[in-house]
Amino acid sequence: MTTTTEAPAVTPVAAPRKLSYVKAFNEGLAQAMREDENVFVAGEDVAGYGGVFRMFDNLLDEFGPRRMIDTPISEAALVGLGVGAAARGLRPVVDLMFMDFIGVCLDQIVNQAAKMKYMFGGALSVPLTITTASGAGLGAAAQHSQSLEAWLAHVPGLKVVMPCDAYTAKGLTVSAIRDDNPVVIMLNKVLLGSAGEVPEEIYGIPLGQAHTARHGSDVTVIALGRMVGEALAAADELAAEGVEIEVIDPRTVQPLDTETMFASVRRTNRVLVVHEAVTFGGLGAEIAAQIQDSVFDYLDAPVLRIGAPFSPVPFSPVLEKAYVPDRARIAQGCRRLLERS
Amino acid sequence: MQIIKDLHERMVRIRLFETEAGKLMEAGKLPGFLHLYVGQEAVAAGVMAALRDDDQITSTHRGHGHAVAKGVGFREMYAELYGRVTGACLGRGGSMHINDLARGMLGANGIVGAGVPIAVGAAFAARYKGEDSVAVTFFGDGATNIGAWHEGANMAAILGLPVVFVCENNGYAEFTPQSGHMLLTDVADRAAAYGMPSVIVDGMDAVAVHRAAAEAVERARAGAGPMMIEAKTYRYFDHQGVKGLRHPYRSDEEVAEWKARDPIDLLEARAIADGTATRAELDDVWRRTRDEIAEAIAYAEASPLPDPADLLLNVYSG
């Protein structure tokens, strides 16, 4: 007789499964590949190496070299390969590694992928998914740290998603691959290792639907990508001061769910838009303009924008930290808005 | 010989489509730009006669000839030039974007060199799906100075894809002669940089182009990878439009020299000499094609314009 056999039976509690952002992306991609034989992945070092950010780990083992293709460092040909293959009925996932590299293949994204359906009179679709890593915070300097969502969101025909956590990384990835349009997934480099609860089964998050990450009555903070986490942290800080912040994560910046934002503005009457990209010409300007067009009468203060200064991303950590908006600046912005009226 | 008649008919169709389009443009009936293909017919005819409907092509901004030779209908092509809703692109694409998926015409392209990687993708899709179709990408001499061309050539080569690269070397990148934009005499030399075999053909000789294309296409279809054909040819009209010569970037003598070796004249002389066709039979092709074109233009002119209420149609799928 031993104590272990006499121990009372414990009902196992289904602990929510935590997964890192990058593994959540990887799982969503693998499930989408299992779901549809037409999905393949092409990019630089995606197959043998698994991607420089480990985004494609283990996929070569499961899917083999037919569906996991290492290509030369040739982004224009890589995206073009995806456009041609998509035009012929496949669902390519092409990886651009760092978002900064889109400059060398922008023609294929902007003039080919985005416009083909329209210019061809609707004769075909381009179900192309482009994955890339954006954002500062890794000391990668000005050519490896940008957030260029405004460039892409400006182009009719493209969709752009910015997952803020592991759960959305998986769901938006699945939806992007299932979508019949060219979609760019901007994975945030700083978030790659961050863990969150992620269901094991395959699921999609609708493109073009914003998510209210936190409900509040005093200020609406519309935050893109990694700024969602910073806004939630700012909201915790402000809650201690008795201020309730509503945090809206658009999840998809093109198409942009303005209705959810407008509804929030009608409740809070104050808006702060925050993104990691340079403020000038950024999406904050677009969102602010749309709010003023549609719900101006509900505003108790002008829409406030927070973004990066008009500078390339600096290298030195002290400069980079000053460059990227953070919870403190968001909290300060909310206080400023509340001081008005 | 049936292939001679086939090549002849494809060339006549291109010639008449283009010359009539040029007249419409001169008469102020067509909006936009018009890059005429007249003079280069032997290349489109020779290559397309070696292809099946399910073989894919990507074309250039000078794409009408490729579309006509691939079998795209006159009606939808003229209607598109007129910007009518019955056009190949519902009036959204115009001259530079005509496509026909049923005929494997993956589109003319307004961006020089951009069709090259897209053809590589089409060839990739064929192999992925286990089909034996090939992709042909057409480009001019000038396009081989574009990065996308080099990336596409290397990508096709390293992935061993069934792509045929067809350079229509008409000697000019817009208004700049070849000597002014590359130090090479033969564009085909560029293929060697990617481990790709190449061949140079007389681009005014449709039979020669066809032989080279048939070999390259069969080679690609058999899984031997990409190959390049450089066809030395000439465009009779200006880079854009019919008579836009604001500066004499080429001489009348040069144009006359090339016209003396007109690809249709050459083929007709050959057909009559070897007894393949009589003059009357050849003339009949011209006559039938003229009738078909007149009907297509009438159809285009009678077609409705797009409804501005449908402006946003097909920006996105779904």
Side-chain angles (χ1 to χ4, degrees), chain A residues 8 54 63 87 118 137 139 173 185 200 203 210 215 229 246 248 299 301 327:
Chain A
R54 320 311 310 170
F63 299 103
Y118 187 84
T173 297
I185 303 176
E200 287 183 33
Y203 62 93
H215 292 276
E246 181 144 299
I248 294 185
L299 290 174
R327 62 199 69 186

Short mmCIF file of all heavy atoms in Angstrom, two decimals, chain A residues 8 54 63 87 118 137 139 173 185 200 203 210 215 229 246 248 299 301 327:
data_model
loop_
_atom_site.label_atom_id
_atom_site.label_comp_id
_atom_site.label_asym_id
_atom_site.label_seq_id
_atom_site.Cartn_x
_atom_site.Cartn_y
_atom_site.Cartn_z
N PRO A 8 -6.48 11.08 -3.66
CA PRO A 8 -7.78 11.29 -4.26
C PRO A 8 -7.67 11.66 -5.74
O PRO A 8 -6.74 12.35 -6.14
CB PRO A 8 -8.39 12.43 -3.45
CG PRO A 8 -7.24 13.13 -2.84
CD PRO A 8 -6.17 12.09 -2.64
N ARG A 54 12.03 31.79 -37.61
CA ARG A 54 11.48 30.48 -37.24
C ARG A 54 9.98 30.40 -37.57
O ARG A 54 9.26 29.57 -37.02
CB ARG A 54 11.68 30.13 -35.75
CG ARG A 54 13.01 30.50 -35.14
CD ARG A 54 14.21 30.08 -35.93
NE ARG A 54 14.21 28.69 -36.36
CZ ARG A 54 15.08 28.18 -37.23
NH1 ARG A 54 15.98 28.95 -37.78
NH2 ARG A 54 15.02 26.91 -37.57
N PHE A 63 5.54 18.93 -45.17
CA PHE A 63 4.98 19.19 -46.51
C PHE A 63 5.94 18.94 -47.67
O PHE A 63 5.52 18.91 -48.82
CB PHE A 63 4.42 20.61 -46.57
CG PHE A 63 3.31 20.84 -45.58
CD1 PHE A 63 3.53 21.54 -44.40
CD2 PHE A 63 2.06 20.29 -45.81
CE1 PHE A 63 2.52 21.73 -43.48
CE2 PHE A 63 1.02 20.48 -44.88
CZ PHE A 63 1.25 21.20 -43.72
N ALA A 87 -2.79 33.37 -60.17
CA ALA A 87 -3.63 33.56 -61.35
C ALA A 87 -3.99 32.21 -61.97
O ALA A 87 -4.99 32.10 -62.67
CB ALA A 87 -2.89 34.42 -62.38
N TYR A 118 -8.98 43.63 -61.18
CA TYR A 118 -9.72 44.80 -61.68
C TYR A 118 -9.43 45.03 -63.16
O TYR A 118 -10.36 45.16 -63.97
CB TYR A 118 -9.33 46.04 -60.87
CG TYR A 118 -10.16 47.26 -61.18
CD1 TYR A 118 -11.39 47.45 -60.58
CD2 TYR A 118 -9.72 48.21 -62.09
CE1 TYR A 118 -12.17 48.56 -60.87
CE2 TYR A 118 -10.48 49.32 -62.39
CZ TYR A 118 -11.71 49.50 -61.78
OH TYR A 118 -12.47 50.60 -62.07
N GLY A 137 12.45 47.81 -32.57
CA GLY A 137 12.57 47.27 -31.22
C GLY A 137 13.64 46.21 -31.08
O GLY A 137 13.93 45.75 -29.99
N GLY A 139 16.76 46.66 -32.46
CA GLY A 139 18.05 47.26 -32.79
C GLY A 139 18.49 46.92 -34.20
O GLY A 139 19.66 46.78 -34.51
N THR A 173 -3.91 34.74 -40.09
CA THR A 173 -3.13 33.98 -41.08
C THR A 173 -4.04 33.03 -41.84
O THR A 173 -4.00 32.95 -43.08
CB THR A 173 -1.99 33.21 -40.38
OG1 THR A 173 -1.11 34.15 -39.78
CG2 THR A 173 -1.22 32.35 -41.36
N ILE A 185 0.41 40.05 -44.55
CA ILE A 185 0.38 39.86 -43.09
C ILE A 185 1.63 40.50 -42.51
O ILE A 185 2.75 40.06 -42.80
CB ILE A 185 0.38 38.37 -42.71
CG1 ILE A 185 -0.78 37.64 -43.36
CG2 ILE A 185 0.36 38.21 -41.20
CD1 ILE A 185 -0.75 36.14 -43.08
N GLU A 200 -6.44 25.08 -30.33
CA GLU A 200 -5.71 24.13 -31.18
C GLU A 200 -6.34 23.96 -32.54
O GLU A 200 -5.66 23.70 -33.52
CB GLU A 200 -5.63 22.76 -30.47
CG GLU A 200 -4.65 22.78 -29.32
CD GLU A 200 -4.48 21.43 -28.65
OE1 GLU A 200 -4.57 20.41 -29.37
OE2 GLU A 200 -4.28 21.41 -27.43
N TYR A 203 -8.98 28.09 -37.05
CA TYR A 203 -10.03 29.10 -37.00
C TYR A 203 -9.56 30.33 -37.77
O TYR A 203 -8.37 30.61 -37.84
CB TYR A 203 -10.38 29.50 -35.56
CG TYR A 203 -9.23 30.11 -34.80
CD1 TYR A 203 -9.04 31.49 -34.75
CD2 TYR A 203 -8.31 29.30 -34.13
CE1 TYR A 203 -7.97 32.04 -34.06
CE2 TYR A 203 -7.24 29.84 -33.45
CZ TYR A 203 -7.07 31.20 -33.41
OH TYR A 203 -6.00 31.75 -32.74
N ALA A 210 -12.95 44.98 -36.80
CA ALA A 210 -12.17 45.42 -35.65
C ALA A 210 -12.59 44.65 -34.40
O ALA A 210 -13.67 44.08 -34.34
CB ALA A 210 -12.36 46.92 -35.44
N HIS A 215 -13.11 47.44 -23.00
CA HIS A 215 -14.22 48.38 -23.01
C HIS A 215 -13.97 49.49 -21.99
O HIS A 215 -13.43 49.26 -20.92
CB HIS A 215 -15.54 47.66 -22.68
CG HIS A 215 -15.96 46.72 -23.77
ND1 HIS A 215 -16.65 47.14 -24.87
CD2 HIS A 215 -15.74 45.39 -23.93
CE1 HIS A 215 -16.86 46.10 -25.67
NE2 HIS A 215 -16.32 45.02 -25.13
N GLY A 229 -1.05 46.19 -27.39
CA GLY A 229 -0.52 45.79 -26.07
C GLY A 229 -0.12 46.99 -25.24
O GLY A 229 -0.38 47.05 -24.03
N GLU A 246 -11.19 52.73 -23.70
CA GLU A 246 -11.64 51.69 -24.62
C GLU A 246 -10.53 51.48 -25.67
O GLU A 246 -10.08 52.45 -26.27
CB GLU A 246 -12.94 52.11 -25.31
CG GLU A 246 -13.49 51.07 -26.27
CD GLU A 246 -15.02 51.04 -26.23
OE1 GLU A 246 -15.59 50.74 -25.15
OE2 GLU A 246 -15.63 51.33 -27.28
N ILE A 248 -9.42 49.77 -29.16
CA ILE A 248 -9.89 49.12 -30.38
C ILE A 248 -8.71 48.70 -31.24
O ILE A 248 -7.82 49.49 -31.52
CB ILE A 248 -10.84 50.06 -31.16
CG1 ILE A 248 -12.09 50.27 -30.31
CG2 ILE A 248 -11.19 49.46 -32.54
CD1 ILE A 248 -13.16 51.06 -30.97
N LEU A 299 -17.49 64.58 -30.97
CA LEU A 299 -16.15 64.79 -30.40
C LEU A 299 -16.13 65.94 -29.40
O LEU A 299 -16.63 67.02 -29.67
CB LEU A 299 -15.15 65.09 -31.52
CG LEU A 299 -14.81 63.93 -32.46
CD1 LEU A 299 -13.92 64.42 -33.61
CD2 LEU A 299 -14.12 62.80 -31.71
N ALA A 301 -13.09 66.71 -28.20
CA ALA A 301 -11.73 67.22 -28.40
C ALA A 301 -11.27 66.76 -29.76
O ALA A 301 -11.79 65.77 -30.29
CB ALA A 301 -10.80 66.67 -27.31
N ARG A 327 3.49 52.83 -23.77
CA ARG A 327 2.33 52.99 -22.88
C ARG A 327 2.30 54.37 -22.22
O ARG A 327 1.25 54.95 -22.03
CB ARG A 327 2.30 51.87 -21.84
CG ARG A 327 3.50 51.84 -20.91
CD ARG A 327 3.67 50.50 -20.24
NE ARG A 327 4.08 49.48 -21.21
CZ ARG A 327 4.19 48.19 -20.95
NH1 ARG A 327 3.91 47.73 -19.75
NH2 ARG A 327 4.60 47.35 -21.86
#
